[in-house]
Amino acid sequence: MITASDFEFDPPAMGDDEEDAGEKTVISVGNTMSKKIAEATKTPPTIVMLEGPAGYVGKLWTIDKSEMIIGRSMTSNVFVDDRSVSRSHTKLIMKDDTVWVMDLESSNKTVVNDDAIPPMTPVKLDDSDQIKVGNVLFKFQARGSLEAAALGKVQEKSEKDGLTGAFNKGTLMQKGAESFKRSKLLKVDMSILVFDIDFFKKINDNPQLGHPGGDFVLKELVKTIQTKLIRSDDFLGRYGGEEFVVILFGSNITQAAEIGERLRKTIEDHEFVYQGLKIPVTISVGVATKSPEMSTWEELFAVADQRLYMSKRNGRNRVTSEG
Protein backbone atom coordinates (compact mmCIF):
# COMPACT_ATOMS: atom_id res chain seq x y z
CA MET A 1 0.00 0.00 0.00
CA ILE A 2 1.29 3.49 -0.88
CA THR A 3 1.31 5.81 2.15
CA ALA A 4 2.16 9.44 2.77
CA SER A 5 5.65 8.40 3.86
CA ASP A 6 6.38 7.48 0.25
CA PHE A 7 6.23 11.17 -0.69
CA GLU A 8 8.91 13.11 1.12
CA PHE A 9 9.07 16.90 0.96
CA ASP A 10 10.46 19.78 2.98
CA PRO A 11 8.02 21.66 5.23
CA PRO A 12 7.06 25.16 4.06
CA ALA A 13 9.36 28.01 5.09
CA MET A 14 8.09 30.43 7.74
CA GLY A 15 8.08 34.19 7.55
CA ASP A 16 7.03 36.81 4.99
CA ASP A 17 7.04 34.31 2.16
CA GLU A 18 5.10 31.68 4.09
CA GLU A 19 2.17 31.63 1.69
CA ASP A 20 4.40 31.38 -1.40
CA ALA A 21 6.50 28.68 0.22
CA GLY A 22 3.39 26.67 1.05
CA GLU A 23 2.19 26.96 -2.53
CA LYS A 24 5.57 25.80 -3.81
CA THR A 25 5.42 22.81 -1.50
CA VAL A 26 1.99 21.84 -2.81
CA ILE A 27 3.25 22.09 -6.36
CA SER A 28 6.27 19.94 -5.49
CA VAL A 29 4.11 17.24 -3.93
CA GLY A 30 1.73 17.34 -6.89
CA ASN A 31 4.60 16.95 -9.32
CA THR A 32 6.00 14.06 -7.30
CA MET A 33 2.64 12.30 -7.25
CA SER A 34 2.12 12.95 -10.96
CA LYS A 35 5.53 11.48 -11.72
CA LYS A 36 4.82 8.37 -9.65
CA ILE A 37 1.43 7.92 -11.31
CA ALA A 38 2.99 8.36 -14.76
CA GLU A 39 5.58 5.72 -13.91
CA ALA A 40 2.91 3.39 -12.54
CA THR A 41 0.87 3.54 -15.76
CA LYS A 42 3.77 1.73 -17.42
CA THR A 43 3.63 -1.09 -14.84
CA PRO A 44 2.28 -4.29 -16.43
CA PRO A 45 -0.18 -6.60 -14.62
CA THR A 46 1.46 -8.61 -11.84
CA ILE A 47 0.83 -11.22 -9.17
CA VAL A 48 2.53 -11.18 -5.78
CA MET A 49 2.69 -14.13 -3.38
CA LEU A 50 1.03 -13.40 -0.04
CA GLU A 51 1.30 -16.88 1.51
CA GLY A 52 3.46 -19.80 0.43
CA PRO A 53 6.91 -21.38 0.65
CA ALA A 54 9.60 -19.62 2.67
CA GLY A 55 11.71 -17.36 0.50
CA TYR A 56 8.89 -16.78 -2.01
CA VAL A 57 6.45 -14.72 0.05
CA GLY A 58 6.47 -11.17 -1.25
CA LYS A 59 7.91 -12.21 -4.62
CA LEU A 60 6.34 -10.48 -7.59
CA TRP A 61 5.86 -11.91 -11.10
CA THR A 62 5.12 -9.75 -14.14
CA ILE A 63 2.37 -11.00 -16.43
CA ASP A 64 4.16 -10.29 -19.70
CA LYS A 65 2.98 -13.17 -21.92
CA SER A 66 -0.38 -13.99 -23.45
CA GLU A 67 -0.43 -17.22 -21.42
CA MET A 68 1.47 -18.09 -18.22
CA ILE A 69 1.32 -21.30 -16.18
CA ILE A 70 1.44 -21.37 -12.39
CA GLY A 71 2.62 -24.76 -11.16
CA ARG A 72 5.12 -27.05 -9.48
CA SER A 73 6.80 -28.03 -12.75
CA MET A 74 10.18 -26.42 -13.32
CA THR A 75 8.90 -25.44 -16.76
CA SER A 76 6.13 -23.29 -15.27
CA ASN A 77 6.30 -19.55 -15.84
CA VAL A 78 5.50 -19.08 -12.14
CA PHE A 79 7.31 -21.93 -10.39
CA VAL A 80 5.99 -22.76 -6.91
CA ASP A 81 7.80 -25.45 -4.94
CA ASP A 82 4.84 -26.59 -2.83
CA ARG A 83 3.27 -30.06 -2.76
CA SER A 84 -0.26 -28.63 -2.67
CA VAL A 85 0.30 -27.15 -6.13
CA SER A 86 -0.16 -29.34 -9.21
CA ARG A 87 2.60 -29.51 -11.80
CA SER A 88 0.48 -27.36 -14.12
CA HIS A 89 -2.13 -25.90 -11.79
CA THR A 90 -3.45 -22.63 -13.16
CA LYS A 91 -3.17 -20.58 -16.33
CA LEU A 92 -3.12 -16.78 -16.54
CA ILE A 93 -4.41 -15.47 -19.87
CA MET A 94 -3.82 -11.88 -20.96
CA LYS A 95 -5.65 -10.21 -23.81
CA ASP A 96 -5.08 -6.50 -24.28
CA ASP A 97 -5.10 -5.15 -20.69
CA THR A 98 -7.48 -7.79 -19.31
CA VAL A 99 -6.23 -10.83 -17.40
CA TRP A 100 -8.17 -14.06 -16.94
CA VAL A 101 -7.39 -17.03 -14.71
CA MET A 102 -8.24 -20.65 -15.55
CA ASP A 103 -7.88 -23.78 -13.42
CA LEU A 104 -6.16 -26.60 -15.33
CA GLU A 105 -8.10 -29.44 -13.67
CA SER A 106 -5.79 -29.27 -10.68
CA SER A 107 -5.99 -31.60 -7.68
CA ASN A 108 -6.53 -28.84 -5.10
CA LYS A 109 -8.51 -26.32 -7.17
CA THR A 110 -8.03 -22.65 -7.92
CA VAL A 111 -9.94 -20.21 -5.73
CA VAL A 112 -10.61 -16.54 -6.53
CA ASN A 113 -11.79 -14.44 -3.59
CA ASP A 114 -13.00 -17.51 -1.63
CA ASP A 115 -14.88 -19.01 -4.59
CA ALA A 116 -13.53 -22.12 -6.32
CA ILE A 117 -13.61 -21.59 -10.07
CA PRO A 118 -14.76 -24.36 -12.44
CA PRO A 119 -11.97 -26.20 -14.29
CA MET A 120 -11.01 -25.07 -17.79
CA THR A 121 -13.25 -21.99 -17.55
CA PRO A 122 -11.57 -18.56 -17.78
CA VAL A 123 -12.56 -16.11 -15.05
CA LYS A 124 -11.81 -12.38 -15.42
CA LEU A 125 -9.59 -10.87 -12.73
CA ASP A 126 -10.08 -7.44 -11.19
CA ASP A 127 -7.45 -5.38 -9.43
CA SER A 128 -6.59 -6.72 -5.94
CA ASP A 129 -8.34 -10.08 -6.49
CA GLN A 130 -6.81 -12.89 -4.46
CA ILE A 131 -5.99 -16.19 -6.15
CA LYS A 132 -5.45 -19.34 -4.11
CA VAL A 133 -3.52 -22.08 -5.90
CA GLY A 134 -3.49 -25.13 -3.64
CA ASN A 135 -2.35 -23.66 -0.31
CA VAL A 136 -0.48 -20.78 -1.97
CA LEU A 137 -2.08 -17.34 -2.06
CA PHE A 138 -1.42 -14.65 -4.67
CA LYS A 139 -2.73 -11.13 -5.12
CA PHE A 140 -3.45 -9.84 -8.63
CA GLN A 141 -2.56 -6.26 -9.49
CA ALA A 142 -3.87 -4.75 -12.71
CA ARG A 143 -1.88 -2.68 -15.16
CA GLY A 144 -0.93 0.72 -13.78
CA SER A 145 -1.13 -0.30 -10.12
CA LEU A 146 0.75 2.11 -7.82
CA GLU A 147 1.15 -0.72 -5.33
CA ALA A 148 2.68 -3.01 -7.97
CA ALA A 149 5.08 -0.27 -9.04
CA ALA A 150 6.19 0.24 -5.44
CA LEU A 151 6.51 -3.50 -4.78
CA GLY A 152 8.53 -3.91 -7.97
CA LYS A 153 11.05 -1.34 -6.74
CA VAL A 154 11.23 -2.99 -3.33
CA GLN A 155 11.78 -6.41 -4.91
CA GLU A 156 14.49 -5.06 -7.19
CA LYS A 157 16.29 -3.55 -4.20
CA SER A 158 16.03 -6.83 -2.29
CA GLU A 159 17.37 -8.88 -5.21
CA LYS A 160 20.13 -6.57 -6.44
CA ASP A 161 23.53 -5.71 -5.01
CA GLY A 162 23.33 -2.08 -3.92
CA LEU A 163 26.77 -1.11 -5.22
CA THR A 164 27.03 -2.81 -8.61
CA GLY A 165 23.47 -3.55 -9.69
CA ALA A 166 24.26 -7.24 -10.22
CA PHE A 167 22.01 -9.75 -8.48
CA ASN A 168 23.05 -10.33 -4.87
CA LYS A 169 24.28 -13.58 -3.32
CA GLY A 170 20.90 -14.67 -1.97
CA THR A 171 19.19 -14.22 -5.32
CA LEU A 172 22.13 -15.86 -7.10
CA MET A 173 22.01 -19.00 -4.97
CA GLN A 174 18.24 -19.30 -5.37
CA LYS A 175 18.47 -18.83 -9.14
CA GLY A 176 21.33 -21.32 -9.32
CA ALA A 177 19.37 -24.02 -7.50
CA GLU A 178 16.27 -23.44 -9.65
CA SER A 179 18.30 -23.47 -12.89
CA PHE A 180 20.07 -26.67 -11.85
CA LYS A 181 16.75 -28.46 -11.22
CA ARG A 182 15.32 -27.16 -14.49
CA SER A 183 18.42 -28.29 -16.38
CA LYS A 184 18.13 -31.82 -15.00
CA LEU A 185 14.40 -32.04 -15.69
CA LEU A 186 14.61 -30.75 -19.25
CA LYS A 187 17.94 -32.48 -19.97
CA VAL A 188 19.43 -29.18 -21.09
CA ASP A 189 23.08 -28.13 -20.67
CA MET A 190 23.93 -25.67 -17.95
CA SER A 191 27.30 -24.07 -17.24
CA ILE A 192 28.57 -21.41 -14.89
CA LEU A 193 31.49 -18.99 -14.82
CA VAL A 194 32.97 -18.03 -11.47
CA PHE A 195 35.46 -15.16 -11.65
CA ASP A 196 37.11 -12.53 -9.53
CA ILE A 197 39.28 -9.47 -10.04
CA ASP A 198 43.02 -10.09 -9.90
CA PHE A 199 44.91 -8.29 -7.10
CA PHE A 200 41.82 -6.32 -6.14
CA LYS A 201 43.26 -5.61 -2.69
CA LYS A 202 46.06 -3.61 -4.30
CA ILE A 203 43.47 -1.27 -5.80
CA ASN A 204 41.84 -0.65 -2.41
CA ASP A 205 45.24 -0.23 -0.74
CA ASN A 206 46.50 2.27 -3.32
CA PRO A 207 46.48 5.69 -1.58
CA GLN A 208 45.56 7.42 -4.85
CA LEU A 209 42.50 5.20 -5.28
CA GLY A 210 41.40 3.73 -1.96
CA HIS A 211 38.02 2.08 -1.52
CA PRO A 212 36.22 4.64 -3.76
CA GLY A 213 38.52 3.52 -6.58
CA GLY A 214 37.77 -0.11 -5.79
CA ASP A 215 34.03 0.60 -5.81
CA PHE A 216 34.40 2.31 -9.18
CA VAL A 217 36.12 -0.77 -10.63
CA LEU A 218 33.37 -3.09 -9.36
CA LYS A 219 30.60 -0.90 -10.80
CA GLU A 220 32.38 -0.36 -14.12
CA LEU A 221 33.11 -4.08 -14.48
CA VAL A 222 29.45 -5.03 -13.98
CA LYS A 223 28.30 -2.28 -16.34
CA THR A 224 30.71 -3.50 -19.01
CA ILE A 225 29.58 -7.12 -18.69
CA GLN A 226 25.88 -6.22 -18.70
CA THR A 227 26.14 -4.01 -21.78
CA LYS A 228 28.60 -6.03 -23.86
CA LEU A 229 28.53 -9.68 -22.83
CA ILE A 230 25.34 -10.82 -21.09
CA ARG A 231 22.70 -12.50 -23.26
CA SER A 232 19.00 -12.26 -22.41
CA ASP A 233 18.95 -15.70 -20.76
CA ASP A 234 22.23 -15.28 -18.84
CA PHE A 235 22.32 -14.33 -15.16
CA LEU A 236 25.03 -12.26 -13.47
CA GLY A 237 25.33 -12.26 -9.68
CA ARG A 238 27.82 -10.92 -7.16
CA TYR A 239 28.85 -13.74 -4.85
CA GLY A 240 30.78 -11.46 -2.51
CA GLY A 241 33.67 -8.98 -2.49
CA GLU A 242 35.21 -9.06 -5.95
CA GLU A 243 33.83 -12.52 -6.89
CA PHE A 244 31.03 -12.90 -9.44
CA VAL A 245 29.07 -15.71 -11.09
CA VAL A 246 27.44 -15.99 -14.51
CA ILE A 247 24.82 -18.72 -15.04
CA LEU A 248 24.72 -19.89 -18.66
CA PHE A 249 21.56 -21.94 -19.15
CA GLY A 250 21.73 -24.02 -22.33
CA SER A 251 25.52 -23.71 -22.78
CA ASN A 252 27.89 -26.70 -22.85
CA ILE A 253 31.49 -26.63 -21.62
CA THR A 254 32.92 -25.56 -25.00
CA GLN A 255 30.50 -22.68 -25.38
CA ALA A 256 30.97 -21.63 -21.75
CA ALA A 257 34.76 -21.65 -22.08
CA GLU A 258 34.48 -19.43 -25.17
CA ILE A 259 32.21 -17.01 -23.31
CA GLY A 260 34.64 -17.04 -20.38
CA GLU A 261 37.51 -16.13 -22.69
CA ARG A 262 35.50 -13.29 -24.27
CA LEU A 263 34.72 -12.07 -20.78
CA ARG A 264 38.38 -12.18 -19.74
CA LYS A 265 39.58 -10.42 -22.90
CA THR A 266 36.89 -7.72 -22.75
CA ILE A 267 37.80 -6.80 -19.18
CA GLU A 268 41.53 -6.81 -19.95
CA ASP A 269 40.98 -4.47 -22.93
CA HIS A 270 38.52 -2.14 -21.20
CA GLU A 271 39.86 1.19 -19.92
CA PHE A 272 39.08 1.68 -16.25
CA VAL A 273 39.80 5.37 -15.59
CA TYR A 274 39.10 6.83 -12.15
CA GLN A 275 39.74 10.53 -11.50
CA GLY A 276 42.17 10.63 -14.40
CA LEU A 277 44.05 7.50 -13.30
CA LYS A 278 43.99 4.44 -15.55
CA ILE A 279 43.63 1.23 -13.52
CA PRO A 280 44.79 -2.05 -15.09
CA VAL A 281 42.10 -4.66 -14.41
CA THR A 282 42.12 -8.38 -15.25
CA ILE A 283 40.07 -11.33 -14.04
CA SER A 284 40.60 -15.03 -13.41
CA VAL A 285 37.81 -17.37 -14.47
CA GLY A 286 36.71 -20.89 -13.56
CA VAL A 287 34.23 -22.74 -15.81
CA ALA A 288 32.11 -25.80 -15.04
CA THR A 289 29.22 -27.64 -16.69
CA LYS A 290 26.60 -29.78 -14.97
CA SER A 291 27.45 -33.46 -15.30
CA PRO A 292 25.15 -36.49 -14.79
CA GLU A 293 27.00 -37.32 -11.56
CA MET A 294 26.08 -34.00 -9.95
CA SER A 295 22.96 -33.88 -7.83
CA THR A 296 23.01 -30.30 -6.50
CA TRP A 297 23.80 -26.76 -7.56
CA GLU A 298 26.39 -26.58 -4.80
CA GLU A 299 28.43 -29.35 -6.46
CA LEU A 300 28.49 -27.47 -9.75
CA PHE A 301 29.49 -24.24 -8.05
CA ALA A 302 32.27 -25.98 -6.12
CA VAL A 303 33.84 -27.30 -9.35
CA ALA A 304 33.79 -23.87 -11.00
CA ASP A 305 35.18 -22.25 -7.85
CA GLN A 306 38.01 -24.79 -7.72
CA ARG A 307 38.88 -24.02 -11.34
CA LEU A 308 38.87 -20.31 -10.56
CA TYR A 309 41.61 -20.91 -7.99
CA MET A 310 43.50 -23.01 -10.52
CA SER A 311 43.47 -19.97 -12.83
CA LYS A 312 44.83 -17.83 -10.00
CA ARG A 313 47.55 -20.32 -9.05
CA ASN A 314 48.63 -20.63 -12.67
CA GLY A 315 49.33 -16.93 -13.15
CA ARG A 316 45.90 -15.20 -13.13
CA ASN A 317 44.23 -13.43 -16.07
CA ARG A 318 43.24 -16.76 -17.55
CA VAL A 319 40.31 -19.18 -17.97
CA THR A 320 40.30 -22.75 -16.64
CA SER A 321 37.58 -25.12 -17.85
CA GLU A 322 39.04 -28.52 -16.96
CA GLY A 323 41.23 -30.20 -14.41
Side-chain angles (χ1 to χ4, degrees):
M1 179 179 295
I2 304 299
T3 66
S5 63
D6 293 310
F7 307 104
E8 298 180 359
F9 57 91
D10 294 330
M14 302 300 290
D16 295 337
D17 298 326
E18 181 178 1
E19 183 176 349
D20 290 342
E23 290 177 356
K24 290 178 182 177
T25 299
V26 171
I27 292 170
S28 175
V29 175
N31 289 341
T32 301
M33 174 63 89
S34 298
K35 182 178 180 181
K36 287 182 178 289
I37 292 174
E39 290 176 352
T41 59
K42 302 175 184 177
T43 304
T46 61
I47 56 171
V48 60
M49 186 181 291
L50 301 180
E51 297 177 10
Y56 285 83
V57 174
K59 183 175 176 62
L60 181 143
W61 288 266
T62 298
I63 304 173
D64 54 3
K65 298 179 177 62
S66 59
E67 294 187 353
M68 293 178 63
I69 302 295
I70 302 173
R72 190 162 42 85
S73 168
M74 290 297 299
T75 60
S76 300
N77 305 100
V78 180
F79 166 67
V80 183
D81 190 9
D82 188 284
R83 298 298 299 180
S84 70
V85 178
S86 299
R87 292 181 62 79
S88 294
H89 196 115
T90 302
K91 180 185 288 186
L92 298 171
I93 304 164
M94 182 168 63
K95 185 175 182 181
D96 298 324
D97 285 341
T98 303
V99 179
W100 306 70
V101 62
M102 184 171 71
D103 182 78
L104 299 176
E105 299 181 322
S106 63
S107 300
N108 293 319
K109 302 182 180 180
T110 301
V111 177
V112 177
N113 298 332
D114 298 325
D115 294 323
I117 63 176
M120 307 306 292
T121 304
V123 173
K124 180 177 175 294
L125 290 173
D126 294 319
D127 188 43
S128 297
D129 278 349
Q130 294 193 358
I131 310 162
K132 193 172 184 182
V133 178
N135 294 329
V136 179
L137 185 65
F138 296 93
K139 180 179 180 180
F140 169 71
Q141 293 162 323
R143 181 180 298 276
S145 166
L146 275 171
E147 185 177 356
L151 282 172
K153 290 182 179 180
V154 170
Q155 177 166 304
E156 183 176 2
K157 286 183 179 179
S158 70
E159 292 181 341
K160 297 288 185 71
D161 171 55
L163 175 64
T164 65
F167 287 99
N168 60 31
K169 183 178 179 179
T171 308
L172 166 66
M173 300 309 275
Q174 180 179 323
K175 179 70 173 181
E178 289 183 2
S179 297
F180 188 91
K181 289 180 182 178
R182 188 183 294 248
S183 172
K184 290 195 72 172
L185 178 68
L186 300 179
K187 296 180 172 56
V188 173
D189 288 325
M190 173 188 172
S191 300
I192 63 172
L193 312 177
V194 179
F195 65 94
D196 71 11
I197 300 171
D198 297 327
F199 303 113
F200 184 70
K201 188 175 184 299
K202 291 184 178 181
I203 297 174
N204 282 333
D205 291 345
N206 187 318
Q208 292 180 284
L209 301 171
H211 287 281
D215 289 349
F216 164 78
V217 168
L218 291 169
K219 290 187 286 187
E220 184 70 9
L221 178 139
V222 168
K223 178 183 175 182
T224 301
I225 294 172
Q226 288 176 333
T227 56
K228 295 184 178 181
L229 294 163
I230 291 294
R231 304 168 301 181
S232 59
D233 292 336
D234 296 339
F235 184 94
L236 171 65
R238 185 183 181 190
Y239 185 72
E242 69 273 25
E243 188 169 351
F244 296 84
V245 179
V246 180
I247 299 174
L248 304 170
F249 195 82
S251 295
N252 59 32
I253 190 65
T254 301
Q255 294 166 329
E258 291 173 353
I259 294 170
E261 178 57 27
R262 287 205 301 272
L263 178 66
R264 184 204 66 78
K265 187 70 167 60
T266 298
I267 298 304
E268 182 183 36
D269 291 345
H270 184 76
E271 286 198 355
F272 291 80
V273 180
Y274 177 71
Q275 294 186 348
L277 296 174
K278 185 174 180 180
I279 308 170
V281 177
T282 62
I283 60 172
S284 297
V285 186
V287 185
T289 296
K290 178 184 66 63
S291 67
E293 297 78 26
M294 294 178 181
S295 56
T296 66
W297 150 258
E298 287 76 14
E299 292 177 68
L300 175 61
F301 180 85
V303 173
D305 201 43
Q306 180 183 29
R307 290 175 180 171
L308 160 63
Y309 282 97
M310 290 175 64
S311 290
K312 296 172 77 166
R313 286 196 301 269
N314 291 329
R316 302 178 190 262
N317 191 22
R318 65 187 62 224
V319 178
T320 302
S321 57
E322 58 184 25

